[in-house]
Amino acid sequence: MKLLFPLTLTITAFLFLSSSAQEKRPNIILIMSDDMGYSDIGTYGSEIETPNLDRLAEGGLKYTQFYNAARCCPTRASLLTGLYPHQAGMGWMNGTDYNLPGYEAELNDRCVTIAEVLKSAGYLTYMTGKWHVAKEIQKGEKYNWPLQRGFDKYYGILHGASSYFDPSALCRDNQLITSETDPAYKPANYYFTDAISDNSVRYIEEHNSDKPFFMYVAYTAAHWPMQAPESVIKKYKGRYDKGWDIIRQERFQKMKQVGVISTDAKLSPSEQKEWTTEQNKPAMARRMETYAAMVDVMDQGIGRIINQLKKQGIFENTIIIYLQDNGGCAEHIGSGVTGPLAAYTPSLKPPAKGQIQYMNNPPLTRNGRIVMQGKDVMAGPDDTYVSYMQEWANVSNTPFRLYKHWVHEGGIATPLIVHWPAGINGKNQIRTQAAHIIDILPTLQELGHAKYPAKNGNKTITPKAGISLIPSFSNSSLNRKALYWEHEMNRAVRMGKWKLVASGKLIDSTNRRREYYSNDPWELYDMEKDRSELNDLASKYPEIVKEMSQMWQVYAQRSNVFPTPWKLKDLPNTTLIHDK
């Protein structure tokens, strides 16, 4: 929905803070990675080398029960606004505007972003990376682009996925560009993850102001396609030849050792065939080698950001927060017969130099090579386009069930690292408080001495759904009754130790894609004893199921989950939709 008023918040700016109060306010860097599972960084159990993230955890706090919203667009909308996704207009994805309050396919005009809130308190605001909360990019309507939602500077892609070597919908500030035509950034070898890191470093270096800054760094690593520099992939050559079964067991044991799961935790049953039966072992190992390289490159970039903060003497009073947008991705991209991404004909031509690319999966590279998919494709180069598949996603989500899309733990559990030497005394400490991405905005608002507006122009702003995490910095409890989820009719409630969760299905009819949905029964789990969701207690505690399901219904009505774009109906011979 187009915003029909200027984005000037009608709140009092903090122009009269004392100099000492101004000095105490930290710089803020919020880092989000893409399509990575709970166990994918070293300090949470991975064999992937992430020394910079590991050091941030060692010097700060590591949360073990933090949650996202299960999917790219909803999580980003929720993170930016402190609201549940449907309250911000992003109950599903940004591809289809259903003209329903919860499903507008972009940020609505009844929410404000972290950047808008902090900017009103005197912060300078920067963003790099993936936006993915605006629609109709090709029409050029910029009312919901980053600069129109509170950011002073922006470099990144406006939609959800692209080639790492030639990103589509690439944008600097308010101008669409290509990696070749960008006048401000011309590396010898372009790779989008490095571009995000390098432009983040540049924004810090150029920050010549007494005002604090807020920077949102939204990596696309490690979202498909599996592409990375060959020099980094070689670092992991052979590391995954033992296969997903052994790697998953090794991660499970390491996770117990580092304390991100309990010592009596259970590993959920494997959700894939055994590695010994895999017919394409070299290609499948190569996909995980590439995935690891993508994470590794991101971590190297985070190291450069940290070094720049130290170089400028502002590392101690910069709070760095790291988290992920959903669990590991089980989407099958390039799992069929090996061949061109699109049927190749002589009429296909590569994009011209400087031509804006809007496709996230173009059939040809800019130099005319055919982009390939298929089970035998060796991932990594720019002329390949594959995912790392469900088997490796099951490893990423160790020890949990299910994946991105679902709201079982495998879909919504994320690492959260919080590092702030000047403001947090705890070092290398674990926090077990259950919390959610809706809590990030209230936390940063409090750190920035900012106010949350009741009005924006003539629009009433939806009250925050989240709460500040600052009490948890000193390991105090968080005062909240429950947390809620819904995505594609996957739904959940977390109340204390109890989690009520159910899967849903989006269903095709003969007339329309996703016309219907169906609901599976509620499942009930004790998160203190069974974080892997293996022992369903719904039949044992029907009164708890009744109470929590009614709570979810109230949340769903209040938060614009209903009305949905889909009709409740059970149909024979229907298909579960795995949207990409």
Side-chain angles (χ1 to χ4, degrees), residues 296-310:
D296 191 311
V297 173
M298 177 187 71
D299 185 80
Q300 292 179 41
I302 293 170
R304 296 199 296 277
I305 292 170
I306 291 169
N307 288 340
Q308 186 63 37
L309 294 171
K310 291 179 177 179

Side-chain angles (χ1 to χ4, degrees), residues 286-573:
R286 170 76 177 196
R287 293 192 186 198
M288 191 60 193
E289 291 167 3
T290 306
Y291 181 92
M294 295 165 75
V295 177
D296 191 311
V297 173
M298 177 187 71
D299 185 80
Q300 292 179 41
I302 293 170
R304 296 199 296 277
I305 292 170
I306 291 169
N307 288 340
Q308 186 63 37
L309 294 171
K310 291 179 177 179
K311 181 179 178 180
Q312 293 179 217
I314 56 176
F315 178 69
E316 294 292 312
N317 197 35
T318 297
I319 183 168
I320 301 175
I321 299 172
Y322 169 84
L323 71 165
Q324 298 163 187
D325 69 342
N326 46 246
C329 176
E331 294 164 354
H332 285 207
I333 310 296
S335 61
V337 176
T338 299
L341 180 78
Y344 179 72
T345 70
S347 63
L348 283 176
K349 295 181 179 180
K353 181 178 176 65
Q355 179 182 340
I356 302 300
Q357 175 64 264
Y358 292 102
M359 295 179 64
N360 67 23
N361 55 347
L364 298 176
T365 66
R366 284 195 186 262
N367 60 9
R369 284 176 294 121
I370 301 170
V371 177
M372 300 292 288
Q373 286 189 325
K375 58 186 179 182
D376 296 328
V377 165
M378 301 298 278
D382 64 344
D383 61 351
T384 67
Y385 205 95
V386 297
S387 66
Y388 76 153
M389 310 291 283
Q390 177 177 314
E391 291 83 358
W392 290 116
N394 197 203
V395 173
S396 290
N397 295 338
T398 305
F400 304 134
R401 292 171 52 199
L402 295 176
Y403 314 93
K404 170 186 176 180
H405 295 260
W406 284 270
V407 295
H408 287 72
E409 295 292 283
I412 60 174
T414 170
L416 178 74
I417 296 171
V418 180
H419 182 277
W420 182 22
I424 298 176
N425 292 325
K427 301 290 187 291
N428 198 26
Q429 293 186 8
I430 285 177
R431 296 289 182 263
T432 60
Q433 293 88 340
H436 190 283
I437 48 174
I438 58 175
D439 301 328
I440 297 296
L441 182 148
T443 304
L444 301 187
Q445 174 201 337
E446 184 174 349
L447 289 172
H449 303 167
K451 286 186 178 180
Y452 186 83
K455 300 279 288 186
N456 191 352
N458 63 348
K459 296 289 183 178
T460 299
I461 298 303
T462 305
K464 289 174 294 185
I467 61 175
S468 174
L469 296 175
I470 289 177
S472 70
F473 292 177
S474 58
N475 212 18
S476 297
S477 61
L478 299 174
N479 184 21
R480 171 170 42 212
K481 184 175 182 181
L483 292 167
Y484 300 91
W485 292 264
E486 189 284 328
H487 181 64
E488 297 181 337
M489 290 297 114
N490 299 295
R491 54 209 189 280
V493 188
R494 175 75 190 264
M495 181 176 68
K497 72 174 186 176
W498 296 111
K499 182 181 176 186
L500 190 71
V501 60
S503 296
K505 297 178 179 67
L506 297 186
I507 300 168
D508 284 352
S509 74
T510 56
N511 300 317
R512 182 167 72 87
R513 288 197 72 198
R514 312 181 195 99
E515 185 168 4
Y516 299 99
Y517 72 89
S518 66
N519 285 334
D520 289 348
W522 286 110
E523 306 161 17
L524 180 68
Y525 299 102
D526 181 342
M527 292 285 102
E528 291 180 356
K529 298 178 180 179
D530 183 23
R531 184 91 188 273
S532 298
E533 298 169 310
L534 303 178
N535 183 22
D536 181 4
L537 301 174
S539 61
K540 186 175 181 180
Y541 298 104
E543 70 284 359
I544 296 177
V545 173
K546 181 179 179 181
E547 177 190 2
M548 293 180 70
S549 62
Q550 288 175 344
M551 289 168 57
W552 184 89
Q553 194 70 27
V554 171
Y555 146 79
Q557 294 291 346
R558 182 183 66 236
S559 302
N560 299 330
V561 173
F562 296 114
T564 74
W566 313 292
K567 307 169 192 173
L568 177 59
K569 190 173 183 180
D570 291 315
L571 297 175
N573 302 317

Side-chain angles (χ1 to χ4, degrees), residues 203-218:
Y203 289 163
I204 298 169
E205 189 174 21
E206 292 175 346
H207 181 79
N208 184 21
S209 173
D210 293 332
K211 294 180 179 180
F213 70 82
F214 163 65
M215 185 163 65
Y216 174 34
V217 183

